[in-house]
Amino acid sequence: MQTDDDLVWICQYCGIHNTVWLDLTIEGKQDFMEECRICCRPNRIIITKDNKDNVFIEARPSDE
Ligand SMILES: [Zn+2]
């Protein structure tokens, strides 16, 4: 079983692809802030898992 992964998210301000390392052994939802590597603006990153252990990543503007 895979225990970690690099996931891609898209900056909500400049549209650049960023990657974030994720520990897949953490259960449930993860919700944290990441700064874009290009424009340095914080994006809210939300990680969810379904009941088949598929991982979904979503980026939102931090001021939403
Ligand atoms: Zn950006």
Side-chain angles (χ1 to χ4, degrees), residues 6-21 34-41 43 45 57 59:
D6 285 310
L7 296 181
V8 175
W9 57 276
I10 296 169
C11 176
Q12 300 300 296
Y13 299 98
C14 72
I16 282 290
H17 286 66
N18 289 266
T19 56
V20 62
W21 179 83
E34 280 281 311
E35 281 187 3
C36 174
R37 66 189 164 90
I38 300 298
C39 70
C40 297
R41 295 185 74 169
N43 286 245
I45 308 297
I57 185 165

Side-chain angles (χ1 to χ4, degrees), residues 1-55:
M1 181 186 153
Q2 197 177 6
T3 58
D4 66 295
D5 200 5
D6 285 310
L7 296 181
V8 175
W9 57 276
I10 296 169
C11 176
Q12 300 300 296
Y13 299 98
C14 72
I16 282 290
H17 286 66
N18 289 266
T19 56
V20 62
W21 179 83
L22 183 68
D23 183 349
L24 297 177
T25 63
I26 297 174
E27 287 299 324
K29 190 174 167 183
Q30 296 185 56
D31 189 333
F32 52 90
M33 305 295 274
E34 280 281 311
E35 281 187 3
C36 174
R37 66 189 164 90
I38 300 298
C39 70
C40 297
R41 295 185 74 169
N43 286 245
R44 185 177 174 199
I45 308 297
I46 300 165
I47 311 282
T48 49
K49 272 190 207 176
D50 69 11
N51 56 14
K52 295 188 177 78
D53 272 350
N54 294 309
V55 177

